[in-house]
Amino acid sequence: MALYSDKVMDHFQNPRNVGKLDDADGIGEVGNAKCGDIMRMYIKVDNGIITDCKFNTFGCGSAIATSSMATELIKGKPIEEALQLSNKAVVEALDGLPAHKIHCSVLAEEAVRAAVKDYYDKNGIEYNPDEFQLHDCEHCHD
Ligand code: FES
């Protein structure tokens, strides 16, 4: 079996929603301390729905593929649903990732959550801080 699924290769080679939203309602930036990769996610929210989102990453191919898929999964969805998006769901939607690349998908999940948190903060919306705990990623690495 190939190391990467066709879907991973597709989203890596033709990433969706790459770029920046100048009028973003929420921006999340997260970094992976071990590999040094950085991810920035922009969301536009209207009436509680994510109407648009884009991402930029200084990251590996798996980070690009997982962020691309994450934007596809949250676009058009209620913001609460985006908050529930797990890296596992992103990996499943991509038909899997090699075990040593799972931590890259965590970066995508955390960028989405950071963007939602930024949106909540900017709009004075109350939330449970526990929902924004970052993963302990130590176990994700080789
Ligand atoms: Fe850093 Fe993939 S190796 S995000």
Side-chain angles (χ1 to χ4, degrees), residues 78-87 89 109 112-113 131:
I79 199 155
E80 296 78 16
E81 225 172 282
L83 201 49
Q84 300 307 319
L85 181 75
S86 66
N87 73 303
E109 176 197 311
V112 169
R113 285 196 300 166
E131 282 190 276

Side-chain angles (χ1 to χ4, degrees), residues 62-104:
S62 298
I64 293 169
T66 51
S67 322
S68 167
M69 179 54 89
T71 59
E72 294 256 284
L73 291 172
I74 65 169
K75 216 171 177 175
K77 299 275 169 51
I79 199 155
E80 296 78 16
E81 225 172 282
L83 201 49
Q84 300 307 319
L85 181 75
S86 66
N87 73 303
K88 192 164 172 272
V90 176
V91 170
E92 276 169 14
L94 286 169
D95 294 336
L97 270 180
H100 68 287
K101 300 305 279 182
I102 294 292
H103 73 274
C104 313

Side-chain angles (χ1 to χ4, degrees), residues 32 35-37 59-63 101 103-105 107:
N32 185 311
C35 63
D37 289 349
C60 71
S62 298
K101 300 305 279 182
H103 73 274
C104 313
S105 65
L107 205 57

Side-chain angles (χ1 to χ4, degrees), residues 24-28 113-123 132:
D25 296 308
I27 302 172
R113 285 196 300 166
V116 171
K117 184 173 182 296
D118 184 50
Y119 167 74
Y120 283 167
D121 286 339
K122 282 181 173 149
N123 289 278
F132 294 95

Side-chain angles (χ1 to χ4, degrees), residues 3-14:
L3 191 56
Y4 293 106
S5 72
D6 290 344
K7 279 194 192 167
V8 172
M9 291 309 293
D10 178 31
H11 279 264
F12 165 54
Q13 284 167 332
N14 310 290

